[in-house]
Amino acid sequence: MNSPIIPFSLCPRVEKGMQLLSKRWSILIIYQLMSGTQRFHSLEAALPVSGRLLSERLKELEQEGIVLREVFPETPVRIQYSLTEKGHALAPLIKEIERWSADWVQVEADEVKS
């Protein structure tokens, strides 16, 4: 007697997590913030992304509780971004992707940032 085929369904939490993290630049923004608190200009200089898109991703990551945006009422106003506890919890996953990439991903010489 054959077993009935049970349709596969995704875990809604895994699905939502993958949708969030698979958005272009999200993982690289988190990776950049793993080195510590940074200002917008530093993030923009480190990543080949437009300021508009970087701002959009930072807002999404802030809304998800992954990035903390701190505003200091100075003249001029200073804004810093850092990872929350939830954001830091992604570090082992990202470090593992970094290790996998070092072992398995090849890049052309002109793709390597100097």
Side-chain angles (χ1 to χ4, degrees):
M1 187 159 130
N2 292 338
S3 323
I5 296 175
I6 300 172
F8 177 77
S9 64
L10 291 175
C11 169
R13 289 182 182 199
V14 171
E15 184 178 8
K16 183 176 180 184
M18 289 303 297
Q19 286 172 353
L20 172 69
L21 297 175
S22 67
K23 284 187 176 178
R24 193 165 187 185
W25 304 110
S26 291
I27 290 287
L28 293 176
I29 291 167
I30 295 166
Y31 181 79
Q32 189 66 29
L33 287 172
M34 284 169 48
S35 64
T37 300
Q38 295 183 40
R39 295 179 71 177
F40 186 87
H41 179 72
S42 299
L43 290 168
E44 191 175 28
L47 300 166
V49 60
S50 73
R52 183 191 61 76
L53 186 56
L54 177 59
S55 179
E56 183 180 307
R57 288 295 173 268
L58 284 166
K59 284 177 186 170
E60 291 169 357
L61 293 169
E62 181 185 9
Q63 288 171 346
E64 289 294 330
I66 293 170
V67 167
L68 175 66
R69 179 180 185 261
E70 293 180 279
V71 180
F72 297 89
E74 303 169 349
T75 304
V77 174
R78 180 170 48 109
I79 301 172
Q80 296 182 164
Y81 296 90
S82 59
L83 294 177
T84 63
E85 182 180 351
K86 185 176 178 179
H88 281 292
L90 289 165
L93 170 72
I94 294 171
K95 286 293 187 183
E96 198 57 40
I97 292 170
E98 182 179 42
R99 276 191 285 281
W100 177 85
S101 297
D103 291 342
W104 296 99
V105 176
Q106 298 295 319
V107 292
E108 299 296 321
D110 60 337
E111 291 181 79
V112 178
K113 257 187 159 174
S114 45

